[in-house]
Amino acid sequence: MTRHDFEAKEKELLAPYAVLASESRGRRYPEPEHSHRTAFQRDRDRVIHSSAFRRLENKTQVFLYNEGDYYRTRMTHSLEVAQIARTIARALSLNEDLTETLALAHDMGHSPFGHAGEKAIDELMKAHGGFNHNMQGLRIVEILEDRYPNFPGLNLSWEVREGIVKHTLQPTRPEVQEYEPQFSPNLETLVGDKSDEIAYGGHDLDDGLTSGIIKPEALRDIPLWNETWSRVNQESRAGHGRSLIHQTIKEILNQQIIDLLEATVQNLNAFQIKNIEDVRKAKTTLVDFSEAMGEKHDQLK
């Protein structure tokens, strides 16, 4: 299949409020289109092959990477976010390639040592505007990556750069004005954001239990855990402690994803979202949990 074939498939199969690669606002530095890859497919590949993405391998999610092979790093976290995001995007008929690119790129600007590292760097950089990992991610893809002779950065599509900025928007910063901070992000960006929350909620719990810092009995007051743990135990025939923990976390992830899909479809219908312009003008978060699951999700966090 050629790029034109992929673009034609997108127009045929994707929802009217999905972002089409053929309608991208383009790159800062013009380049010839690829014969067999859409703009967002190229963006995904550029992210994966970037130095910043490789560096995520040794950056902390919660535990230091040298404390054991079982704990997540920023790279494995990003891969898990991408898997969840693609599942949701596919079910909603959104652009999977754009969604995956945003999921893989969302932490490329993150500091070492997790949010503690980000806070420390922010304090050190107060006199120079502070530090935010999303803004650093934008600097990486626009300036710091040095892989192409004709332009700085990765020269990603406007929609990907917008999604990086709007992962956690700081609308007063001058570098974000190009990305229309007065408008809501596309649905692919919102899916990436929620997939990030679902992923780290599940795997941070898994890592905490693996380490022994958290015990299953300490989670009995958390409704989402307790309800799922009880059901998994009742349904299991020959499971042991570790497999029951994995199955419980898997079910917790699954419940959140299904609820998010159902609630998002209800939101799209309730707010009569027909196209991308409707998405951008929306004054509410369209991709979200139901009220009941949102409360359980917050309790788990």
Side-chain angles (χ1 to χ4, degrees):
M1 291 177 64
T2 67
R3 171 176 56 85
H4 295 294
D5 294 328
F6 284 120
E7 291 174 346
K9 281 289 185 184
E10 287 186 355
K11 290 180 179 179
E12 176 188 350
L13 297 175
L14 297 189
Y17 38 71
V19 178
L20 299 178
S22 59
E23 297 179 4
S24 169
R25 300 194 195 186
R27 307 181 188 278
R28 189 183 302 282
Y29 305 97
E31 297 181 61
E33 295 285 358
H34 194 275
S35 58
H36 288 80
R37 289 182 294 166
T38 69
F40 301 145
Q41 290 170 346
R42 292 180 80 186
D43 289 341
R44 176 201 58 211
D45 298 344
R46 289 183 179 193
V47 166
I48 289 174
H49 289 281
S50 68
S51 299
F53 186 76
R54 288 197 303 277
R55 290 193 186 105
L56 295 177
E57 180 180 7
N58 292 333
K59 287 187 177 180
T60 307
Q61 181 64 23
V62 174
F63 293 90
L64 297 178
Y65 71 92
N66 59 356
E67 292 181 344
D69 293 338
Y70 294 102
Y71 301 123
R72 272 72 171 188
T73 66
R74 285 282 161 194
M75 177 179 283
T76 59
H77 162 67
S78 297
L79 294 173
E80 292 184 32
V81 174
Q83 179 268 317
I84 292 171
R86 283 193 71 111
T87 297
I88 296 171
R90 186 180 298 121
L92 293 173
S93 297
L94 301 178
N95 195 305
E96 289 183 50
D97 295 321
L98 175 58
T99 306
E100 181 182 26
T101 304
L102 292 169
L104 292 171
H106 83 279
D107 267 353
M108 281 186 14
H110 222 297
S111 62
F113 308 111
H115 289 280
E118 181 171 25
K119 183 178 180 181
I121 296 175
D122 185 44
E123 287 295 324
L124 292 169
M125 296 296 293
K126 283 295 185 189
H128 306 280
F131 177 84
N132 173 274
H133 76 269
N134 295 302
M135 295 301 103
Q136 179 69 2
L138 183 66
R139 291 183 69 240
I140 285 171
V141 302
E142 288 193 329
I143 302 170
L144 298 181
E145 280 287 331
D146 185 15
R147 305 186 67 81
Y148 302 95
N150 296 325
F151 49 77
L154 299 179
N155 199 30
L156 302 180
S157 302
W158 186 90
E159 290 76 12
V160 175
R161 290 179 281 132
E162 180 206 21
I164 292 172
V165 167
K166 291 182 177 178
H167 186 69
T168 305
L169 185 62
Q170 295 184 311
T172 60
R173 296 182 70 110
E175 62 265 43
V176 309
Q177 298 310 306
E178 175 186 352
Y179 303 105
E180 301 175 346
Q182 70 273 25
F183 293 126
S184 297
N186 55 53
L187 293 174
E188 286 81 357
T189 297
L190 295 174
V191 166
D193 292 350
K194 282 299 180 182
S195 299
D196 182 24
E197 289 189 30
I198 292 171
Y200 74 65
H203 65 51
D204 288 1
L205 183 61
D206 191 14
D207 284 353
L209 288 162
T210 298
S211 71
I213 291 175
I214 300 174
K215 303 293 185 184
E217 52 269 23
L219 299 169
R220 288 173 181 162
D221 292 335
I222 309 299
L224 188 55
W225 169 270
N226 196 46
E227 294 164 7
T228 309
W229 173 260
S230 299
R231 188 178 71 253
V232 168
N233 270 276
Q234 289 174 358
E235 295 173 353
S236 175
R237 294 181 180 177
H240 55 83
R242 194 66 208 152
S243 68
L244 293 178
I245 288 173
H246 282 306
Q247 186 65 22
T248 300
I249 293 172
K250 172 189 169 185
E251 289 297 323
I252 287 173
L253 294 174
N254 191 50
Q255 289 176 68
Q256 291 180 92
I257 291 168
I258 291 174
D259 180 272
L260 184 78
L261 286 169
E262 293 175 349
T264 298
V265 170
Q266 290 179 5
N267 289 339
L268 294 173
N269 291 331
F271 292 98
Q272 300 182 324
I273 303 300
K274 304 298 184 185
N275 51 47
I276 295 177
E277 289 306 310
D278 291 340
V279 174
R280 293 195 173 279
K281 293 176 182 177
K283 300 302 182 183
T284 186
T285 302
L286 296 169
V287 179
D288 208 350
F289 300 111
S290 66
E291 184 176 349
M293 180 58 75
E295 183 176 346
K296 290 180 180 180
H297 174 79
D298 289 342
Q299 291 166 340
L300 186 67
K301 280 207 294 185

